[in-house]
Amino acid sequence: MIDQYKEYFSLEDKEVLLEMYKTIFEIIYNWIVVVDKEGYIKMMNKGYCDFLGTTEEEAIGKHVTEVIENTRMHIVVRTGNREIGDVQQIRGNKMIADRIPIIKNREVIGAVGTVLFKDLVELDTYAKRVNVMEKELEFYKKELKKALGNDNTFDHIIGISQSLRKVKELAKQVANTKSNILLLGESGTGKGLFASAIHNSSLRGEYPLIKINCAAIPNELLESELFGYEQGAFTGAQKGGKPGKFELANKSTIFLDEIAELPLNMQAKLLKVIQEREIDKIGGTKTQKIDIRIIAATNQNLEEMVKKKLFREDLYYRLNVVSIKIPSLRERKEDISLIIKHLIKKFSKEMDKFVTEITPASLSALMRYGWPGNIRELENVIERAFNLIDKEAMIMLQHLPLYITNPLNSAITKNSKTLKFMLEEIEKHAIEKSLIENDGNKRKTAKDLGISRTSLYEKIERYDLDM
């Protein structure tokens, strides 16, 4: 190395460098031996000599086989093949040795041998330390996900309905791809839960999911939040600048919720990020390459917005590589009882209340309701009930809001004020109540209601009351 740069160094410099090399050679933790092309020792550090019970003066000049037991250094200089991580027994100790040929002008001129682990016990100790560190790292990753609310999996999506099962299967199928995903569904259907489950099932799941609600950030701050800024980019910019959400999501996934609320000028910049896979910070002078996957979500009809020029068509198709429509709660009412059981366990733990069940009448009322707010509304209703429960240990009708327990009020809350609609809701409630009282016996139910069995069957089919 010194010869390579001899024209740049004075004699004094060379002497200093040589002294440095010697010092490093002696103090380095590894045991080191250097041999020439014939296998004769040229250098051996003090640690190795002490272990072998010799000195540098005695060792240097001897053939390596005379000094080191079971050595293969002379074989390495002959073959020119390196040997890494070989187990070598010396003086009763099994050690881990590396042997590397020294090549100059395509000719082997010697070899260097190192012993990193002096015995297998030491190697085992290192391996255990690494294992502990890996477990700690995995623990902190999980804790970070919990802190960010990103530890959800597909097991957290509760339901047995056919519509939900189809959607879950599709989401699982595309989770491990690199394609962008567009989640569609009404407010409160669980689009964020699906985004988290998809991310955690993907190859990017070891990194945290980065979330941003496009509707919650003022337009003037949106660009800096998404793409970040450099120091001094504008008045009030924090010292040292700030990374944007896209930079934080590098090698991971970014979840753009309420994507329909993104202004048109920001839609153009997002399109550029997707196409070129790079970002420009505000006030920056160079672009930064990023590797991200986008999951976008909206409760609006993007196709209609494209037609009205409110959403860019090219961006729509870039985001809509895989479209997943999450069913509303009223489309999968058979899942309501399962979700309620889950929520009872959740709030019992969080609120430290002993609640075990829900009465049949209360469940029936919740099953009748239309749930315009979907699962989010159901969760709020159950949490409200927990606040009202005293010693009953169960959710009863008096713990539920009046607009749910009263069928007429329930009809009005469904954004329909027609008399026909309200009468149908009352009729449906009466038939369902009679069926429950008669244990599903349709002949008795028809008699109690004063209608024919044919008429009853027609109404059961119309109101989807398969009991």
Side-chain angles (χ1 to χ4, degrees):
M1 183 176 184
I2 293 177
D3 290 339
Q4 185 179 354
Y5 299 103
K6 61 184 178 180
E7 60 184 291
Y8 301 107
F9 294 109
S10 65
L11 181 60
E12 186 179 350
D13 290 332
K14 293 174 184 176
E15 289 175 350
V16 170
L17 283 172
L18 278 172
E19 197 60 38
M20 287 175 61
Y21 286 141
K22 287 180 181 179
T23 303
I24 293 169
F25 188 77
E26 291 300 332
I27 67 173
I28 194 168
Y29 177 75
N30 299 32
W31 293 345
I32 302 175
V33 61
V34 179
V35 300
D36 63 15
K37 63 180 180 180
E38 302 298 334
Y40 289 94
I41 296 175
K42 291 297 182 182
M43 300 174 69
M44 180 179 279
N45 64 354
K46 188 175 184 301
Y48 211 166
C49 290
D50 290 344
F51 172 73
L52 295 172
T54 185
T55 64
E56 293 177 70
E57 290 78 13
E58 292 176 353
I60 292 173
K62 288 184 179 180
H63 197 269
V64 69
T65 54
E66 297 179 50
V67 180
I68 303 175
E69 183 183 354
N70 298 316
T71 185
R72 290 176 53 85
M73 292 292 288
H74 58 301
I75 298 174
V76 170
V77 292
R78 188 177 71 242
T79 63
N81 297 326
R82 62 169 55 195
E83 297 179 356
I84 304 297
D86 185 46
V87 178
Q88 179 180 348
Q89 185 163 324
I90 308 176
R91 306 189 74 179
N93 294 316
K94 290 184 177 180
M95 305 177 174
I96 307 298
D98 293 344
R99 307 178 191 96
I100 302 171
I102 303 170
I103 300 173
K104 185 174 182 180
N105 298 326
R106 299 185 180 182
E107 180 185 349
V108 176
I109 61 170
V112 58
T114 64
V115 175
L116 176 58
F117 301 107
K118 280 67 177 180
D119 54 53
L120 294 184
V121 174
E122 186 180 18
L123 174 61
D124 185 59
T125 301
Y126 272 85
K128 286 178 179 177
R129 287 180 183 176
V130 171
N131 189 41
V132 169
M133 287 189 288
E134 286 179 343
K135 287 182 178 179
E136 288 178 348
L137 179 61
E138 189 63 29
F139 170 77
Y140 288 123
K141 282 182 179 179
K142 289 180 180 178
E143 290 302 305
L144 176 60
K145 284 187 177 182
K146 287 180 182 178
L148 296 173
N150 296 338
D151 61 331
N152 296 308
T153 67
F154 285 109
D155 291 336
H156 291 89
I157 302 174
I158 299 168
I160 57 170
S161 63
Q162 184 67 17
S163 58
L164 183 67
R165 284 205 301 265
K166 285 183 179 179
V167 170
K168 282 178 70 173
E169 284 304 313
L170 175 59
K172 288 178 182 178
Q173 188 176 349
V174 301
N176 268 330
T177 70
K178 294 182 178 180
S179 301
N180 295 332
I181 294 175
L182 181 61
L183 299 176
L184 304 171
E186 297 177 8
S187 178
T189 50
K191 296 186 289 294
L193 181 58
F194 265 88
S196 186
I198 291 170
H199 168 71
N200 288 328
S201 296
S202 74
L203 299 175
R204 300 168 183 262
E206 61 180 299
Y207 298 97
L209 173 67
I210 304 300
K211 299 179 180 179
I212 187 164
N213 189 320
C214 299
I217 302 173
N219 291 350
E220 60 272 17
L221 299 179
L222 197 52
E223 184 175 2
S224 63
E225 282 294 313
L226 287 175
F227 307 120
Y229 56 81
E230 298 288 358
Q231 180 173 323
F234 50 84
T235 304
Q238 72 179 36
K239 188 177 180 180
K242 178 184 176 184
K245 298 293 185 181
F246 277 94
E247 184 178 353
L248 294 174
N250 190 31
K251 297 184 180 179
S252 186
T253 307
I254 188 166
F255 176 46
L256 301 175
D257 199 9
E258 304 290 353
I259 190 68
E261 302 299 325
L262 204 63
L264 284 169
N265 66 315
M266 289 306 300
Q267 290 179 28
K269 293 183 178 181
L270 175 57
L271 179 65
K272 183 182 177 220
V273 171
I274 297 174
Q275 290 175 332
E276 300 179 10
R277 296 292 169 178
E278 58 185 28
I279 55 172
D280 296 302
K281 285 188 175 183
I282 299 175
T285 57
K286 54 184 178 180
T287 60
Q288 177 182 341
K289 287 287 184 182
I290 55 169
D291 172 23
I292 59 164
R293 183 191 200 179
I294 297 175
I295 299 179
T298 183
N299 58 8
Q300 298 189 42
N301 189 327
L302 288 185
E303 288 186 357
E304 287 298 317
M305 292 184 68
V306 168
K307 290 177 183 177
K308 295 176 181 177
K309 307 296 183 184
L310 297 174
F311 201 87
R312 291 182 64 109
E313 184 177 17
D314 45 8
L315 177 60
Y316 171 68
Y317 288 116
R318 285 286 187 177
L319 295 173
N320 192 28
V321 177
V322 179
S323 177
I324 298 177
K325 174 71 166 64
I326 302 172
S328 64
L329 191 55
R330 62 182 170 277
E331 293 176 287
R332 54 184 189 104
K333 283 201 168 184
E334 58 266 50
D335 295 336
I336 289 178
S337 60
L338 287 174
I339 297 171
I340 290 172
K341 286 180 183 178
H342 167 75
L343 292 173
I344 287 175
K345 288 181 181 178
K346 174 188 174 183
F347 288 123
S348 292
K349 184 177 180 180
E350 289 181 2
M351 302 176 73
D352 197 24
K353 282 198 172 186
F354 184 72
V355 179
T356 57
E357 58 184 308
I358 181 170
T359 64
S362 301
L363 179 59
S364 178
L366 295 174
M367 293 289 287
R368 283 196 307 270
Y369 183 59
W371 299 110
N374 293 291
I375 297 174
R376 187 180 296 129
E377 184 182 7
L378 174 59
E379 186 170 359
N380 289 342
V381 167
I382 299 301
E383 184 177 0
R384 174 188 184 275
F386 264 73
N387 281 282
L388 299 178
I389 292 173
D390 188 11
K391 298 178 181 180
E392 300 92 343
M394 64 175 64
I395 298 175
M396 305 176 72
L397 281 173
Q398 62 262 34
H399 303 136
L400 302 180
L402 186 61
Y403 68 84
I404 289 178
T405 57
N406 187 312
L408 182 59
N409 286 343
S410 178
I412 294 172
T413 61
K414 290 186 179 181
N415 299 323
S416 176
K417 298 181 181 179
T418 64
L419 179 61
K420 179 177 179 295
F421 184 85
M422 288 187 284
L423 290 174
E424 284 178 346
E425 283 293 308
I426 295 171
E427 183 180 64
K428 176 183 174 182
H429 173 65
I431 294 171
E432 186 176 40
K433 183 172 180 294
S434 184
L435 281 167
I436 293 172
E437 290 173 348
N438 290 310
D439 293 324
N441 189 309
K442 296 177 177 60
R443 184 184 62 80
K444 288 183 180 179
T445 298
K447 184 178 179 181
D448 288 349
L449 294 173
I451 58 176
S452 67
R453 271 189 289 175
T454 302
S455 179
L456 175 62
Y457 279 110
E458 289 176 352
K459 294 178 186 295
I460 287 173
E461 184 176 353
R462 186 200 308 169
Y463 297 131
D464 194 23
L465 297 174
D466 188 16
M467 304 186 69

